[in-house]
Amino acid sequence: QVQLVESGGGLVQVGGSLRLACAASGSIRQLAAAAWYRQGPGKLRELVAAVTSGGANRYAESVKGRFTISMDRDRYMVYLQMNNLKPEDTAVYYCNVAARTRAFTPASDYWGEGTQVTVSS
């Protein structure tokens, strides 16, 4: 099994920055891909940013140019650098990884429990 623990959330003022971290542990053979999702009050969970093991990144239009996702495959860490934060970025942020626990097997999805980000105006 794979466990994910997010950290780095908190309260920040408009225009501020936060760096979220996601630590993956357990029987990990390889991190194939990772993503950050968020769910704001009264909203559906949405994809914020994603990265593949090949380094291809994609972002929601609302965060392009402000957020950067990265993955350290050797340390099993995923990061989300968030700059120029806006009130609409307020949400619970969830880490999601696709990880292989055995060689030559499909990767499975795993989720963290989330970390709260609140942007005050």
Side-chain angles (χ1 to χ4, degrees), residues 14-120:
V14 169
S17 298
L18 284 174
R19 188 191 193 207
L20 303 184
C22 174
S25 62
S27 303
I28 302 171
R29 185 86 179 188
Q30 180 193 28
L31 289 185
W36 287 93
Y37 288 75
R38 68 185 180 187
Q39 187 166 13
K43 297 181 180 180
L44 297 175
R45 190 174 297 190
E46 62 174 352
L47 175 68
V48 176
V51 59
T52 66
S53 59
N57 296 355
R58 58 189 177 104
Y59 298 92
E61 283 297 323
S62 59
V63 306
K64 278 185 179 178
R66 300 189 297 123
F67 290 12
T68 302
I69 188 172
S70 60
M71 179 168 63
D72 186 332
R73 295 175 61 193
D74 294 329
R75 296 184 179 182
Y76 303 147
M77 295 291 298
V78 185
Y79 302 98
L80 184 68
Q81 177 66 44
M82 307 186 294
N83 298 327
N84 191 20
L85 283 160
K86 304 176 180 180
E88 51 264 42
D89 295 319
T90 294
V92 178
Y93 283 71
Y94 297 89
C95 178
N96 166 254
V97 302
R100 291 185 176 86
T101 56
R102 297 182 189 178
F104 312 113
T105 59
S108 297
D109 259 0
Y110 299 91
W111 290 88
E113 294 189 352
T115 184
Q116 177 70 46
V117 171
T118 302
V119 184
S120 65

